[in-house]
Amino acid sequence: MDYLWWKHGVIYQIYPRSFQDSNGDGIGDLDGIIERLDYLNNGTNHSLGIDGIWMSPTFPSPMKDFGYDVADYEDVHPDFGTLATMDRLIDEAHKRSIRIILDFVPNHTSSDHPWFRESRSSVDSPKRDWYVWRDAKDDGTAPNNWIAVFGGPAWEWDQKTQQYYLHSFLVEQPDLNWRNPQVERAMHNVLRFWMERGVDGFRIDVMDRILKDPALRDNPPNPDRSWGRLMGVTGLQQHTQDQNWPDIVDAVRRIRSTVDEFPDRMTVGEVFGTPENIVRYYGGETSDGLHLAFNFSLTRLVGERWNAANVRKRVDAFESALPGAAWPNIVLGNHDIDRFISRVNHDGRGAARGRAAAVLLLTLRGTPFIYMGEEIGMPNTDVPEHRLQDPARFHHRNRDPERTPLQWTAKGGFSNSEPWLPYGDLSINVAAQEKDERSMLTLYRKLIWTRRASKALTLGDYAAIDGLPADVFAFTRAHGDERTLTMINFANDGVAFDLPKALRAGETLVSTHGEPNAGGRIELAAHEGRLVRLM
Ligand code: NOJ
Ligand code: CA
């Protein structure tokens, strides 16, 4: 009864180019996704058991940023299919109680979008003001010092009309001007277009940049260089003027009210910053903003920083920043960041950490987002120089290693021809893991189906436990009489301890390490994650 799909369910991210190719051109497509829906949820625990799919963009696009450069918001790129294929996918997904979340890209279009072609045709174009155009400074330089996320200045000079236009990402991704009400109206109509076709929600790209300082003042330099490695060139500045501008939250509220024209839909926004900043996008105490704003804080814990104290600190910080009715979410990976296992593989133990992290992801309070391939423990794939595709040098790196095809069988199974990006180590594949009781896939399935059956895990309160060994992060989830306890050992060695008096461990529901000891003193193996029922 109190089940809300986007709140209590599990969301799985598909990178459509790499999920399943149905027609042998080496590129994943919508028909391929339809073929594989039963893998995601066939109603039994022989499938993953997810509740919703977020698909990265499948709209017509010159693919400079692999679909995040949209040339038409209301159609499907022929590589992926047609509108009719999308309708069929929505229908087939709904038959399996799987919701569809599309990727809405409001901050910028492709430079091939008819709106931009019109806008750049002349300074008098009726669509001139749909993008952010400015004169050069007196000395001919760009209007301000903003830098593009993918490197270089955020301004491009247009020879023909003698002005600069703003692009927060690639030159081929001009920023829309959301201060123009016509732009806002057109983009809201895009949301309606897809909701009328049955789409259940939107992941909103670059939510935190759609409005900037209207005076376009310079960003101050960033004295803190520790961000440099993660953020690439954007770490050189503090993004006080071009990111998280205060009135974005008002624009978000208006998006919410359009989404609320249709029942049971959701939004999840891509935003960056401190927990306090991120929760603003939920709309504060009134909760009339985004349904969810991504919490990327755990993805920042790279290498040795992935430890019990840091993970707990980050979970607690988000929990305590959230206003009353707002709901958390947990993200360990996506198509822009290193695979989880590779991020924490500094001493070769990434795979073991990956298993324990799955227990964390699926038992913490909040909506879990699984990036495709994580459920079989795919690490980054080494993509040889001559096969690299991603034009962006994001975070000082290329994003191809986490975008390679999902490995279905020992031969690949993604396509019957050469995939657009190479496979990784094919000993890691779905078919092998389906048969293996101890595989990562089996662990994910157990966790998800255990979660589905538990009100404590889906709806329950969260409380961290104090006084345990420093390498152990443990927390309870409670709903009514039902209480569970999750214990994660982050150490390279086993650990033994007694639980606080008030907690008595009962049946083990899931463990990364088979069937462990019951009752009394707790013993956890190195990198064990264990979920137990409390008596
Ligand atoms: C964030 C997306 O996740 C990323 O893939 C894309 O390149 C940028 N936004 C720009 O749209
Ligand atoms: Ca294809």
Side-chain angles (χ1 to χ4, degrees):
M1 283 301 91
D2 31 24
Y3 179 85
L4 275 176
W5 70 272
W6 57 268
K7 196 166 174 181
H8 308 123
V10 176
I11 312 292
Y12 182 84
Q13 183 194 353
I14 288 182
Y15 194 69
R17 283 184 89 77
S18 292
F19 189 65
Q20 178 66 58
D21 173 23
S22 72
N23 62 352
D25 64 359
I27 298 173
D29 46 55
L30 298 182
D31 270 321
I33 298 175
I34 295 171
E35 282 171 24
R36 294 292 189 181
L37 285 173
D38 283 339
Y39 167 76
L40 298 176
N41 196 344
N42 70 3
T44 78
N45 61 7
H46 297 291
S47 64
L48 203 49
I50 55 93
D51 300 82
I53 304 169
W54 148 34
M55 292 191 293
S56 288
T58 52
F59 312 106
S61 161
M63 297 288 168
K64 295 283 189 228
D65 188 18
F66 289 104
Y68 286 95
D69 46 331
V70 180
D72 180 353
Y73 288 103
E74 300 184 351
D75 205 345
V76 172
H77 191 292
D79 281 352
F80 297 122
T82 63
L83 272 179
T85 341
M86 183 66 93
D87 289 343
R88 212 156 59 77
L89 169 58
I90 294 169
D91 202 45
E92 289 297 324
H94 286 172
K95 281 186 197 156
R96 294 162 177 84
S97 301
I98 298 173
R99 314 294 171 123
I100 299 287
I101 300 171
L102 293 191
D103 213 312
F104 180 56
V105 188
N107 180 70
H108 43 266
T109 69
S110 159
S111 50
D112 279 1
H113 196 293
W115 298 342
F116 188 70
R117 288 170 181 265
E118 169 62 50
S119 182
R120 83 184 311 175
S121 66
S122 111
V123 285
D124 305 317
S125 156
K127 289 216 164 49
R128 187 65 170 181
D129 185 51
W130 280 44
Y131 293 82
V132 185
W133 291 97
R134 285 295 182 284
D135 291 334
K137 283 191 187 158
D138 289 343
D139 64 358
T141 59
N144 64 26
N145 73 348
W146 297 355
I147 45 190
V149 175
F150 294 149
W155 295 94
E156 180 73 3
W157 178 247
D158 182 56
Q159 196 53 39
K160 183 170 165 220
T161 59
Q162 297 284 300
Q163 280 192 316
Y164 282 98
Y165 68 84
L166 180 67
H167 62 91
S168 297
F169 293 84
L170 296 174
V171 169
E172 297 89 350
Q173 291 170 297
D175 282 33
L176 281 164
N177 175 20
W178 274 73
R179 298 208 177 274
N180 180 330
Q182 292 175 3
V183 168
E184 180 163 312
R185 211 169 310 129
M187 293 301 280
H188 281 224
N189 284 336
V190 170
L191 297 171
R192 293 189 181 96
F193 173 87
W194 288 110
M195 288 190 286
E196 273 157 16
R197 295 193 99 90
V199 161
D200 301 284
F202 302 96
R203 176 267 187 185
I204 308 182
D205 189 62
V206 194
M207 184 80 266
D208 56 6
R209 284 179 184 255
I210 62 168
L211 293 167
K212 289 98 182 166
D213 175 4
L216 300 176
R217 282 165 292 197
D218 279 0
N219 280 326
N222 184 7
D224 174 7
R225 278 296 131 89
S226 65
W227 277 101
R229 205 176 62 84
L230 278 174
M231 299 283 290
V233 287
T234 57
L236 295 171
Q237 295 181 347
Q238 299 177 60
H239 293 275
T240 54
Q241 316 306 116
D242 65 351
Q243 198 174 19
N244 295 313
W245 192 256
D247 66 352
I248 298 179
V249 178
D250 302 325
V252 167
R253 290 202 169 94
R254 295 192 294 272
I255 288 176
R256 172 63 178 263
S257 76
T258 292
V259 170
D260 281 349
E261 291 169 11
F262 296 76
D264 214 18
R265 311 299 154 107
M266 69 84 82
T267 51
V268 51
E270 185 196 29
V271 296
F272 294 97
T274 60
E276 290 67 31
N277 175 61
I278 288 161
V279 304
R280 286 192 311 119
Y281 289 85
Y282 282 85
E285 289 304 328
T286 46
S287 278
D288 53 358
L290 297 174
H291 297 77
L292 301 172
F294 279 132
N295 172 14
F296 292 123
S297 61
L298 295 182
T299 70
R300 303 296 200 208
L301 296 174
V302 175
E304 279 162 5
R305 298 183 63 211
W306 179 260
N307 60 45
N310 285 342
V311 170
R312 174 177 176 178
K313 214 188 297 161
R314 301 228 164 181
V315 169
D316 288 351
F318 201 78
E319 278 280 346
S320 55
L322 272 179
W327 186 249
N329 66 87
I330 330 289
V331 179
L332 293 182
N334 66 31
H335 62 296
D336 292 329
I337 45 190
D338 284 313
R339 289 277 185 189
F340 180 82
I341 285 179
S342 302
R343 231 182 296 141
V344 295
N345 200 34
H346 47 286
D347 56 3
R349 294 181 172 96
R353 290 190 181 94
R355 291 175 67 85
V359 180
L360 193 68
L361 173 69
L362 290 157
T363 63
L364 275 171
R365 193 177 87 108
T367 309
F369 283 82
I370 301 172
Y371 178 49
M372 69 172 217
E374 297 287 301
E375 78 277 21
I376 57 169
M378 281 174 64
N380 278 358
T381 300
D382 273 327
V383 180
E385 192 73 31
H386 71 280
R387 298 281 309 262
L388 288 178
Q389 300 278 346
D390 181 17
R393 292 296 176 269
F394 192 54
H395 298 179
H396 274 333
R397 55 181 290 278
N398 177 283
R399 297 169 293 179
D400 293 325
E402 62 268 22
R403 295 179 174 183
T404 59
L406 189 60
Q407 301 179 168
W408 295 99
T409 68
K411 291 207 170 81
F414 159 76
S415 173
N416 52 30
S417 64
E418 185 60 30
W420 75 289
L421 279 173
Y423 294 117
D425 169 6
L426 282 173
S427 70
I428 299 167
N429 69 73
V430 171
Q433 295 197 14
E434 282 190 316
K435 288 184 250 136
D436 178 358
E437 260 306 294
R438 299 190 48 82
S439 70
M440 184 74 141
L441 182 59
T442 303
L443 176 66
Y444 262 88
R445 286 180 179 176
K446 274 189 199 156
L447 284 164
I448 294 175
W449 286 93
T450 303
R451 181 189 162 92
R452 290 179 77 92
S454 162
K455 286 206 166 177
L457 291 174
T458 45
L459 318 178
D461 296 337
Y462 156 90
I465 298 175
D466 295 319
L468 299 183
D471 284 318
V472 175
F473 173 37
F475 54 89
T476 56
R477 301 289 314 283
H479 184 270
D481 298 339
E482 192 198 346
R483 288 191 310 154
T484 63
L485 168 68
T486 298
M487 297 170 282
I488 312 279
N489 178 16
F490 284 75
N492 290 336
D493 304 301
V495 61
F497 55 92
D498 292 308
L499 287 173
K501 286 279 173 301
L503 304 179
R504 274 184 55 222
E507 176 201 2
T508 294
L509 299 170
V510 184
S511 161
T512 49
H513 286 65
E515 291 312 311
N517 61 313
R521 201 166 161 76
I522 302 280
E523 288 173 29
L524 299 177
H527 301 291
E528 179 169 352
R530 190 188 300 175
L531 171 69
V532 304
R533 200 178 286 294
L534 285 174
M535 299 198 285

